Amino acid sequence: MADHQGGSTKSLLGGLQHHAPNPAQLVGFLTRIFSGGVLLMLSGLTISGLIMGLIVFAPVILVTGPLWFPAAVVLFIAAAVIVSTCGVGVAVLAAVTWLYRYFTGKHPLGTDRLDYARSRIAMVICRAVLRMLHLGLN
């Protein structure tokens, strides 16, 4: 029975050595542990700094509170005007580019539909004029 225990101990140690991580895995694991600890410490410092900042600036925020809403409204309107102006400028630039390509004969996207619509409008106008001439002569 003693031999059986000694054999199982040797097989247990052999199994542990077989499943033991190699040095590269061990270094990777230790690096992850160290990085996690550093990030945990930095997040704790960040939260502590935020709380300290709120404690220090809370009276200033309360005293100047009536100014924050109008300032936010003015900044929002200014940002909306700037974004709208840029959007309209981009749309005008796209339209001018399309018209330039159309009139120089480069056939931009949608040219076939525009030509078809123009021919249909011309055909309808021609029919209307012919009807008016026919009704006017009769």
Side-chain angles (χ1 to χ4, degrees):
M1 187 159 171
D3 289 337
H4 181 65
Q5 269 187 330
S8 67
T9 306
K10 286 183 182 179
S11 66
L12 180 65
L13 288 176
L16 287 176
Q17 287 175 353
H18 177 69
H19 292 294
N22 61 20
Q25 290 175 334
L26 184 62
V27 168
F29 178 72
L30 292 176
T31 302
R32 287 187 182 110
I33 293 293
F34 179 74
S35 299
V38 168
L39 290 175
L40 186 63
M41 183 185 68
L42 288 175
S43 64
L45 287 174
T46 302
I47 291 173
S48 298
L50 177 69
I51 291 172
M52 295 299 268
L54 283 175
I55 289 171
V56 170
F57 288 111
V60 175
I61 292 171
L62 288 175
V63 169
T64 60
L67 300 176
W68 290 103
F69 182 74
V73 169
V74 167
L75 287 175
F76 177 76
I77 290 173
V81 166
I82 290 171
V83 168
S84 298
T85 303
C86 290
V88 169
V90 168
V92 167
L93 182 66
V96 168
T97 303
W98 190 90
L99 286 172
Y100 174 76
R101 287 183 179 176
Y102 180 74
F103 287 122
T104 57
K106 295 181 182 174
H107 301 292
L109 188 63
T111 304
D112 52 345
R113 288 184 180 181
L114 181 67
D115 291 339
Y116 176 74
R118 184 174 48 199
S119 67
R120 290 281 299 192
I121 291 171
M123 187 171 50
V124 168
I125 290 174
C126 185
R127 284 184 188 169
V129 168
L130 288 176
R131 265 196 206 147
M132 289 176 72
L133 288 175
H134 180 67
L135 290 176
L137 294 177
N138 288 336

